[in-house]
Each structure stands twice: as C-alpha cells, then as structure tokens.
Amino acid sequence: MTPRAEDDPAAGHARTLLRTATRYSGSRCVALCLVSIAATGAGLLLPAALGRALDLLLAHAPATRWVLCCAALVLLLGLLDAVQTVLTGTVDARTTAWLRRRLTGHVLAAGPRAADRFGSGDLVARLVGNAAEAGTTPAARAALLAALAGPVGAVVALGLIDWWLAAVFLAGAPLLALLLRAVSRDTSESASRYQRAQGRIAAALAEAVEGVRTVRAAGAEGRETARVLRALPDLSRAGHRMWRVQGRAAARAVAVAPLLQLGVVAVAGVLLTRDRLSVGEVLAASRYAMLATGVGVLVGRLAGLARARAAARRLGEVETEPATVFGTRRLPDGPGRLELRGVTARRGGRTVLDGVDLDVPGGTTLAVVGRSGAGKSLLAALAGRLADPDAGDVLLDGVPLRELPHEDLRGAVGYAFARPALLGGTVEQAIGLGLPSPSPGRIREAARTALADDFVRRLPDGYGTAVADAPRSGGESQRLGLARAFAHGGRLLILDDALSSLDTVTERRITDALFGDGPGTTRLLVAHRGATAACADAVAWLDGGRVRAVGRHEELWRLAEYRAAFGDGAGPADTGDSDVPPVQDTQDGQGEGRDSMSGRTRTGAGAGDGTDS
C-alpha cells in the first residue's frame, strides 16, 4: 500500500514540518501539556469538593476545611489558566517564527522556481498568514490532550459516584464522537478553500502594488481593484461555509449535550430519592455531566487544529519545490572560462533555449543579443546557476556548476540586474551585500567605477544613508546594482540588462571602465543596445532558442535579421568598420561559426568571422 506522504507530498511535508516545529518547542509543549492537565485535574476535583462541602453544611457539620479547599482549587485554576495562556502564546510565537525562518530559507534556496510557481503575493500570504495559523498546532495539540482528559475524567467521576450515571452518559457518547469527526473533516475542507482564496487575493494585490504607476497612468484603478477582489466571493463562500460547519456542530451539541445532562441529572435524582446519593453528590454529578459534555471546547479545539493543518499543508506545498543542491568539488584556479554544452531550458511547457553551445574564453566579454523572448535573461541565469538547465551542462573553468559548493560558486560569479533589489540597512550595506567583510575602501572604489559615488555622497548621510530614505532614479538604482557587482569581484561577471536605464554618456563611461582594462574578469552581458554590443569582444545572437551566430558586432551587423533584433534604436554608427565581410549564420549547415575540432561555438577577440581562429 502506498504511504500517504507519497500520495500527497504536500501533506507529507506538512506533517514533517509540524513534527519538527513541535520538537523545536518541545520543553514548552510538555510544560503546557502538564499545566493543562493540572488545570483539568483541578477542575475535576472542584465538583467533588463542592459536593462534600454542601453535604457538611446541610448536616450542620464543620465544613471549613472543605470550603477552604474549594477556594484553593478556584485560585489554583486561575493561576494555572494564566500560566497556560502565557505558555500558549510563547509556543505559538516560537513555532510561527521557526516556520517562517524555515520556509523563507527554503524559498530563497529554491530560487526563482518558487516565485514562478506560486507568485510573490501568494508566497507572502503563506509565509505570513498560513505560518501564523500553522504555528498554533503544537500548543493546540498539547491543549487538546487536556481537553480530551476533561470529558474522560468526568465520565470516570460519574462512574465513581454511581455506575448508572456513567452508563446513561455513555449511551449517547457515539453521537458526540460522530459530531466531532464531522466537524474536523468539514472544517479542514472549508479552511483549505478559504486559504487558497486568500492566496489568490494576495497574489493579485502584490501585482497591483508593483505596477501601481502603470495602473494610475492608465486610469485603471477601478478595474484593477475589481481584479484584485475577484476572488472575494470565493473567500466569502469559504468563510460562510466554515461558520456554517461550526454553527451546525454547535446546534447539534446544543441538542445532544443537554439531553445527556438531563439524563444524568434525572437518574441522579432517582438515586437521591432512593438514598443512594446525597444532595452534594447530585450537585457533583450535574457538574461532571457538564464537563463530560463539553463539546463546545472540543469543537473549538478541533476546528482550530483543522485550520492549522490546512495552513500547514499550504506550507508543505512550498517545501515540495526542491531546494538547489550543491556539490563538493572545489573550483580550481582559472581565468573564468565559461562553457555551455547542449543547454536546453524549458519554462511553462515551452522550450526557451534548445541545445545551446557557447564557449567564452577567460577574460573576454560576450554580449548576448536577441529579440524579446529569445531567452537572453534565462541564459544569463543559467550561466551563474540562478537556475538549472533541463538538459546539458554549464561549466566554469572546466567544472560543472552543479558540482561546485555554494561558497565557491557565489564567490566566483557576480551579477547585476536591470532592476536591482537594494537590500540592507544603508547604501553601503546594499553595495557590500554578500561580502564576508566589505571594507569602506572597496565599497567606494566599486561605486566610483559604477559612477555612483558622486550622487551617493550627496545623500543626507552619504554611504550611511538608509536605503529607504535614499531618493534615486532608475538609472541611479542600476548604478548601485553595478557597484555591488563590481565590489563582489569574482572571475565571472554577468550583467543582465544592467545598463538599460542609463543615459548614453553614463553607459559609455561604464562600459569603458568595464572593458578597457584588458584581460581580467570574464563578462557575460545581456545587451539591447547596439553601442553596448559593439564594446564586447564577441556577440552571441540568440534567435528562436538557438545561437544563430557568434562574432563581432560590426560583422554581424551585415545581417539584416541581426539588425532587426535591435529594432529602430541602433544605427550605422554602432557598426564600426563596414568593410568587414559578413558573418555566416551558424545554423546554415555549412559549419561556419563552429570550432572545427569540437563543433562548438567559441567567442573571443579573435573570432573575426564567427569561427575559431
């Protein structure tokens, strides 16, 4: 028989998460369980003490000791309830924090795949709301044991008073068991629907907030609000269903529990008339009947656990997205030679890159160009293992990236993006992100290279200005992202459209700084401007998921389809020497642009006609 975890991987991950979270606060959970059981025990002793005190008072016998005992039990119950409240809040907070740390780390380790699958808004909803709800599970389980001990102890107490009382109650117990089972099942289903609807609303809201300027510019606030709230009717239906489930359970409890209590009290009255019970024992029996039928407490506990399990399952779905696995092979000394061998990558059921072969010699610069959707950014992500190919290998100095340890890989590869996320408290920390011990001199030198030093110094506190308080344009943000990449260093630098928001003069000055020092760091540059591509040692032209040709920009410019990849933004001024013969298409079946020994595309300063010299 197939294990449940294999039938439903998300449920299996959820159970593992909750078990580990419970162990994380194990001592507090044990303390909470003991305190809850102690409170239940004190609650079970109180009716017996009250009954004994009443019998003594009715007999005009000394009852001071029993009255004091009742008062002590009441005070103890109050104290235990306060301790239980504090422990419950502590366990909930610790478990929620642990779940959020665990899931946040997993999302970051999984990389872009998690965001692509769930969406950033839905992920936030899971890591914030669902983690908080799932975090109540350990405390709820500990309290549930005490909640179950109360009715069981009350039935035992009824049996100790007289076995007929226990028999009357047990006759209706199966109805209560069926009621509790139905509550747990129906609440879990409706809670799952409710949480899924919450996730859809959160995802749509995140998209709207990210594109708020576009929404306002289009005057589409009303339509966008309607889109964000499109899942609201589903949320309402799921919420109403949850309340109906609990309402029906409460109604059934109101119908069943009083009948059982009346039955117990009636039998106790009959036994009283036959002198088998005292008045105090009848009082105790009525109290124990109420405790035994405490379905309301159990319904609440079970409903809370059902909601927590549904939330934990949504966290388990995130964990089904595997984290990136790194190897143990050390990266040897080398110039930073980058190789792509038969790289194929699919996204959304579509093959974006199909059998791509590239060879970028160490210390050279390769610009990657192509129309929108050609796979340039995906190739840049694969080159530094922000994503893994579905087939083929990416190698750095002869070592597959999959086999490198995390520290070696991230230390060797630096990135700059079109829209950099500036993380950290201050501008200096944002530039030095990822460096084990960034020095102020290194940070400032990187900022000068990225032409960011001047405007950073004009900020209220210079490099110590909080990122959130640093007004900046899109181009200035890109320069800070470039500064971070320059400060990172490494043997391979990947710029994914990281110059797109710069003005022409600034872009030229940065490209001169990037490419003007001769051999050094290997650079892979996603370019949309002909002027940028012209600065590279070679250009890889992507078209239809394949490398159409590799060569110098001024040589490739002779191909009309290559010129079309730049749209109207490029002109003859970008081409350089127009007397160079045209480059042959690498897909023309003649072998032009391929290494005669390996059949693989090579780049470099000597790739005059796209072939290996």
Side-chain angles (χ1 to χ4, degrees), residues 494-592:
I494 301 174
L495 307 182
D496 184 3
D497 201 20
L499 308 175
S500 59
S501 295
L502 304 180
D503 61 83
T504 304
V505 175
T506 301
E507 179 183 2
R508 184 69 187 190
R509 291 174 62 187
I510 290 178
T511 53
D512 288 344
L514 269 174
F515 310 139
D517 295 333
T521 301
T522 305
R523 295 163 290 262
L524 182 70
L525 173 67
V526 174
H528 289 85
R529 297 178 182 174
T532 306
C535 293
D537 297 313
V539 176
W541 171 24
L542 283 182
D543 185 32
R546 294 177 178 271
V547 178
R548 282 286 300 273
V550 176
R552 298 279 298 181
H553 171 74
E554 58 268 24
E555 300 161 359
L556 293 171
W557 189 259
R558 304 297 297 271
L559 300 173
E561 291 182 341
Y562 176 80
R563 294 196 299 273
F566 293 95
D568 296 330
D574 297 324
T575 64
D577 186 1
S578 60
D579 297 328
V580 182
V583 172
Q584 297 295 321
D585 191 322
T586 62
Q587 295 181 354
D588 64 2
Q590 301 302 316
E592 295 290 336

Side-chain angles (χ1 to χ4, degrees), residues 59-268:
H60 302 287
T64 304
R65 186 177 59 169
W66 286 99
V67 171
L68 291 176
C69 180
C70 292
L73 286 172
V74 170
L75 289 174
L76 180 61
L77 281 170
L79 177 62
L80 291 174
D81 182 67
V83 173
Q84 186 177 0
T85 301
V86 171
L87 282 174
T88 299
T90 302
V91 172
D92 288 351
R94 281 175 56 86
T95 307
T96 300
W98 183 86
L99 287 171
R100 285 174 177 163
R101 283 196 300 270
R102 165 82 173 250
L103 268 295
T104 300
H106 184 81
V107 167
L108 295 177
R113 294 192 306 270
D116 292 342
R117 176 179 172 185
F118 300 103
S120 57
D122 189 30
L123 278 176
V124 170
R126 292 172 192 252
L127 295 176
V128 177
N130 295 150
E133 200 151 22
T136 63
T137 302
R141 284 176 173 172
L144 181 62
L145 181 60
L148 290 171
V152 172
V155 173
V156 172
L158 286 174
L160 292 175
I161 296 173
D162 193 286
W163 69 271
W164 274 104
L165 301 178
V168 170
F169 180 84
L170 291 175
L175 290 176
L176 293 177
L178 291 174
L179 170 63
L180 294 175
R181 182 181 178 187
V183 168
S184 178
R185 182 188 65 247
D186 295 343
T187 300
S188 180
E189 179 187 353
S190 55
S192 296
R193 293 180 180 178
Y194 188 86
Q195 291 162 1
R196 285 196 297 269
Q198 279 183 319
R200 291 198 298 272
I201 292 176
L205 179 60
E207 293 173 359
V209 170
E210 185 177 358
V212 64
R213 289 186 298 178
T214 301
V215 173
R216 295 189 64 184
E221 292 91 339
R223 289 195 299 274
E224 193 62 15
T225 300
R227 186 185 71 85
V228 171
L229 300 180
R230 188 175 300 156
L232 196 59
D234 292 337
L235 185 74
S236 177
R237 283 192 292 270
H240 280 84
R241 177 173 171 76
M242 276 199 298
W243 286 114
R244 284 196 299 270
V245 167
Q246 296 186 42
R248 284 198 299 268
R252 292 166 184 167
V254 168
V256 175
L259 291 177
L260 291 176
Q261 293 171 16
L262 287 174
V264 171
V265 172
V267 172

Side-chain angles (χ1 to χ4, degrees), residues 315-355:
L315 300 182
E317 288 177 353
V318 177
E319 285 224 325
T320 59
E321 192 64 43
T324 302
V325 178
F326 294 90
T328 58
R329 185 174 172 183
R330 309 304 300 187
L331 186 64
D333 293 334
R337 178 183 180 184
L338 176 67
E339 299 173 80
L340 281 74
R341 298 178 178 173
V343 168
T344 296
R346 303 178 184 89
R347 292 294 183 270
R350 181 175 69 92
T351 299
V352 181
L353 297 175
D354 186 9

